Amino acid sequence: MVSRIVAVLNGPNLNLLGMREPEIYGRETLADVEADCRRLGAELGLAIEFRQSNREYEIIDWIHEARGRAAGIVINPAAFTHTSVAIRDALGAFEGPIIEVHISNVHKREEFRHHSYVSGVASGVIVGCGTEGYGLALRRVATLIGARSG
Ligand code: DQA
């Protein structure tokens, strides 16, 4: 059977979601986002592996781990979006769909947030839809990997 695993990976400071700059990122915590992803994942027949790290190498290791095992990746690389060639290269070696998510509209914010190293290897990018962006990303992965094969 083809894998229905989707790795949902979150970068630095997202452990503080709901507490840091709520006017930008909202009041939902990362645990709330994880619960929403698991609920929707069950509906879509996806096995969600939800993770967060403040360490670049750990995110890279998780992307490597997803190779040949996960059907897709949803990633909010947070600040590493704007700095990490290493995360981009790791994602470039992943075979399945990759959806990049940003909770805030990075294009409305400081100039240094306008460039993403990740977008060039992503299948799609969801920006500025709040934490709802994760659900939109999961739906897109489900579309791209196709219907449940039973
Ligand atoms: C973010 C946007 C990034 O610029 C920022 O560094 C983050 C979160 C977002 O989800 O809006 O930490 O990725």
Side-chain angles (χ1 to χ4, degrees), residues 10-146:
N10 293 280
N13 303 304
L14 288 169
N15 53 310
L16 297 180
L17 195 65
M19 290 161 271
R20 81 158 168 155
E21 303 182 273
E23 64 291 351
I24 295 175
Y25 298 113
R27 299 218 171 260
E28 251 205 323
T29 66
L30 198 63
D32 295 331
V33 175
E34 176 172 358
D36 289 346
C37 285
R38 291 195 185 286
R39 213 170 300 122
L40 181 61
E43 220 177 274
L44 297 170
L46 304 174
I48 304 297
E49 292 186 351
F50 194 97
R51 288 162 157 172
Q52 186 275 331
S53 181
N54 296 322
R55 300 170 189 86
E56 190 174 11
Y57 76 87
E58 205 159 32
I59 296 168
I60 293 164
D61 286 348
W62 290 337
I63 296 166
H64 292 175
E65 220 179 81
R67 277 165 44 80
R69 205 176 62 85
I73 293 178
V74 170
I75 184 164
N76 183 348
F80 291 148
T81 308
H82 319 298
T83 62
S84 182
V85 175
I87 288 178
R88 178 205 175 98
D89 285 351
L91 289 168
F94 180 73
E95 321 78 3
I98 297 163
I99 307 295
E100 176 185 353
V101 173
H102 298 288
I103 297 165
S104 65
N105 181 356
V106 285
H107 301 291
K108 238 176 137 176
R109 301 179 63 194
E110 303 96 322
E111 186 124 11
F112 66 84
R113 295 184 203 276
H114 297 180
H115 176 258
S116 165
Y117 280 105
V118 171
S119 297
V121 290
S123 320
V125 183
I126 296 170
V127 166
C129 296
T131 51
E132 255 186 271
Y134 287 81
L136 299 172
L138 286 177
R139 288 186 192 280
R140 183 62 183 158
V141 169
T143 302
L144 291 173
I145 68 175

